[in-house]
């Protein structure tokens, strides 16, 4: 296999999968490596259903997974990580490690699609008591329950009567250094509130927000649906503390619309945790010498008109490794990064002719 014919794609989430598919469809070879033992990235590993139509994740992602797994021009390597890289566009020498066994692969260009990790709500926002109270959970914990087909209070195993979502946990928080909006969590909380109301029609569901930020069509597809059809209560307010009161959780804060203090009892609190660069993204920054932008994600150099080129020639980035994104945008970036990587290789071929 000619080395300049291969694009290495690091990370097999939505962005990496689409990058691999596009490289293969454009007539080059894709080597797709993933540290986990399965493809599909964060959504496939953690989420039961996806926006906007609440379809099961496995079902939604099946087509792209099949396309990648069954394409003869895609070489999938699971349980594999990049440990070293040298060389440049047209001839990168990348050391891969699989269970301690190392190989050096030659590739022409690279797409980094190593994604994000969920903010750990126990890290600095202890006032929400994530590690203290069983009934304070995250969006991710809730998705695990949805996978099992129910939603319960972990402390009792019984269905909750009153559920509160708290928005912007770990995002838009200058104190902890995350000065950005994670883009999707308003939509995901609204999606989950619909799911809870479908499972428990008599439950009261509240979403406490600073301001609601819906992503494009999600405004219509999820937010208004949750509010009008499912009677979810959106309350503009700041939650400052959660304490235990009897067998309930007391949420303390301020209702910022009414301008008055607020204290409400809940059975279950769901923290809308945002996105941070994954460990793999930070690691790839070091190994491939890609600078990180001020929020810690991988830097791109083209601004809004070129969202995938990094300062390192021949290395491109796709998806949440470059900042918070939904799946739609991650996949679009995957295709764009793949097209640019293949374009760079083709230009190189023309130069050597
Ligand atoms: C709670 C929550 C719910 C969400 N639900 C939705 C939704 O319903 N709809 C929607 O559109 N978006 C949703 N999102 C956003 C969605 O998860 C992201 O848009 C999407 O996962 C980004 O895809 P990605 O491929 O860039 O990254 P990821 O999905 O994070 O995939 C990255 C992949 O790279 C792998 N990796 C990491 N490091 C390495 C390494 N060093 N070497 C090899 N592989 C590596 C990881 O194991 C992972 O498989 C949600 C986000 C959150 C926080
Ligand atoms: S999407 Fe909503 S919850 Fe998430 S950080 Fe932005 S404003 Fe906060």
């Amino acid at each position: 296999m000619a080395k300049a014919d291969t694009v290495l794609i690091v990370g097999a989430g939505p962005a990496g999968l689409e990058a691999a598919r596009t490289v293969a469809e454009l007539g080059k070879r894709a080597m797709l490596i993933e540290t986990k033992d399965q493809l599909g990235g964060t959504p496939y590993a953690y989420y039961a259903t996806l926006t906007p139509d609440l379809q099961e994740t496995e079902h939604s992602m099946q087509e792209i997974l099949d396309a990648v797994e069954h394409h003869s021009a895609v070489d999938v390597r699971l349980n594999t990580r990049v440990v070293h890289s040298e060389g440049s566009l047209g001839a990168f020498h990348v050391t891969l490690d699989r269970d301690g066994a190392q190989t050096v692969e030659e590739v022409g260009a690279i797409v980094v699609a190593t994604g994000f990790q969920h903010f750990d709500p126990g890290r600095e926002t202890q006032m929400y008591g994530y590690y203290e109270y069983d009934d304070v959970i995250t969006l991710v914990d809730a998705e695990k329950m949805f996978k099992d087909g129910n939603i319960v209070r972990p402390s009792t195993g019984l269905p909750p009567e009153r559920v509160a979502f708290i928005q912007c946990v770990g995002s838009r928080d200058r104190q902890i250094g995350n000065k950005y909006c994670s883009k999707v969590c308003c939509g995901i909380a609204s999606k989950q509130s619909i799911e809870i109301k479908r499972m428990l029609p008599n439950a009261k569901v509240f979403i406490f927000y600073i301001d609601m930020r819906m992503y494009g069509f999600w405004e219509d597809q999820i937010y208004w649906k949750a509010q009008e059809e499912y009677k979810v209560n959106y309350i503009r307010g700041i939650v400052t503390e959660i304490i235990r009161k009897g067998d309930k959780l007391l949420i303390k804060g301020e209702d910022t619309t009414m301008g008055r203090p607020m204290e409400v009892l809940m059975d279950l609190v769901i923290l809308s945790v945002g996105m941070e660069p994954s460990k793999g993204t930070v690691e790839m920054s070091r190994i491939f010498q890609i600078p990180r932008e001020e929020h810690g994600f991988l830097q791109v150099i083209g601004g809004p008109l070129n969202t995938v080129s990094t300062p390192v020639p021949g290395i491109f980035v796709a998806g949440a490794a470059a900042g918070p994104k939904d799946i739609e945008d991650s996949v679009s970036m995957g295709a764009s990064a793949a097209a640019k990587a293949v374009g760079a290789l083709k230009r190189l071929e023309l130069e050597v002719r």
Side-chain angles (χ1 to χ4, degrees):
M1 186 197 302
K3 57 194 173 204
D5 260 1
T6 302
V7 177
L8 176 76
I9 295 141
V10 190
L17 288 169
E18 183 59 28
R21 166 159 70 177
T22 307
V23 166
E25 283 177 355
L26 291 174
K28 297 286 179 190
R29 303 192 67 84
M31 184 182 291
L32 176 62
I33 71 153
E34 166 59 53
T35 45
K36 292 205 178 91
D37 61 2
Q38 67 176 13
L39 301 176
T42 307
Y44 203 80
Y46 295 107
Y47 311 148
T49 60
L50 297 178
T51 54
D53 46 16
L54 280 70
Q55 265 202 12
E56 279 181 21
T57 308
E58 286 180 20
H59 178 76
S60 300
M61 293 190 72
Q62 204 52 54
E63 195 260 334
I64 194 167
L65 289 169
D66 283 347
V68 167
E69 278 174 317
H70 300 133
H71 204 300
S72 57
V74 182
D75 173 2
V76 174
R77 313 250 182 127
L78 297 175
N79 303 306
T80 302
R81 63 176 61 245
V82 176
V83 290
H84 182 68
S85 173
E86 33 184 76
S88 56
L89 171 63
F92 288 101
H93 299 255
V94 180
T95 309
L96 303 181
D97 182 292
R98 188 185 166 155
D99 300 331
Q102 297 197 346
T103 52
V104 177
E105 304 288 346
E106 292 187 357
V107 297
I110 296 166
V111 174
V112 179
T114 41
F116 74 99
Q117 65 192 30
H118 302 103
F119 177 77
D120 175 357
R123 204 177 71 199
E124 272 129 286
T125 44
Q126 276 99 352
M127 67 233 185
Y128 295 145
Y130 179 66
Y131 289 108
E132 216 174 320
Y133 308 131
D134 290 345
D135 295 334
V136 178
I137 65 172
T138 65
L139 291 176
V140 191
D141 300 323
E143 289 291 329
K144 273 189 214 141
M145 289 197 211
F146 296 149
K147 276 195 179 196
D148 297 336
N150 61 8
I151 182 96
V152 293
R153 300 181 68 190
S155 65
T156 59
L158 298 172
E161 287 170 15
R162 291 168 66 84
V163 182
F165 288 84
I166 299 178
Q167 299 307 104
C168 300
V169 176
S171 309
R172 303 177 67 194
D173 188 335
R174 285 166 187 245
Q175 268 180 332
I176 61 166
N178 288 351
K179 299 182 286 181
Y180 53 87
C181 168
S182 286
K183 283 189 181 174
V184 299
C185 8
C186 280
I188 305 310
S190 301
K191 180 209 78 151
Q192 291 196 355
S193 68
I194 292 174
E195 287 177 304
I196 292 171
K197 289 292 286 184
R198 281 184 181 172
M199 287 175 197
L200 306 170
N202 294 327
K204 295 242 174 314
V205 181
F206 303 84
I207 299 184
F208 294 96
Y209 65 94
I210 304 174
D211 51 274
M212 280 317 267
R213 295 188 173 179
M214 283 289 154
Y215 216 61
F217 297 158
W218 289 9
E219 168 89 7
D220 179 41
Q221 293 163 327
I222 311 171
Y223 171 69
W224 285 113
K225 193 170 175 175
Q227 199 161 147
E228 292 176 346
E229 212 176 303
Y230 290 89
K231 310 295 176 215
V232 172
N233 303 289
Y234 287 80
I235 298 176
R236 193 157 188 266
I238 295 170
V239 174
T240 49
E241 195 184 10
I242 297 176
I243 57 170
R244 200 193 321 259
K245 191 162 186 196
D247 70 339
K248 307 258 178 207
L249 295 165
L250 180 68
I251 291 187
K252 292 184 170 187
E254 190 194 336
D255 181 327
T256 48
T257 304
M258 306 301 282
R260 63 182 181 210
M262 145 185 99
E263 288 199 357
V264 275
L265 286 171
M266 292 290 156
D267 296 314
L268 183 68
V269 174
I270 303 177
L271 304 178
S272 290
V273 288
M275 302 192 198
E276 292 187 315
S278 69
K279 284 198 185 75
T281 293
V282 175
E283 207 176 41
M284 291 310 103
S285 153
R286 181 180 55 78
I287 290 174
F288 292 123
Q289 300 285 296
I290 311 167
R292 292 197 282 150
E293 51 79 67
E294 62 172 312
H295 309 99
F297 294 89
L298 299 183
Q299 194 184 98
V300 289
I301 51 168
L305 296 178
N306 175 353
T307 54
V308 298
S309 295
T310 74
V312 187
I315 303 189
F316 304 87
V317 60
K325 264 166 210 83
D326 72 344
I327 292 174
E328 204 175 309
D329 286 355
S330 301
V331 165
S332 302
M333 253 180 118
S336 173
K340 286 218 166 21
V342 170
L345 297 186
K346 293 209 162 158
R347 274 196 301 282
L348 216 58
E349 283 165 15
L350 291 174
E351 280 169 21
V352 292
R353 261 185 211 159

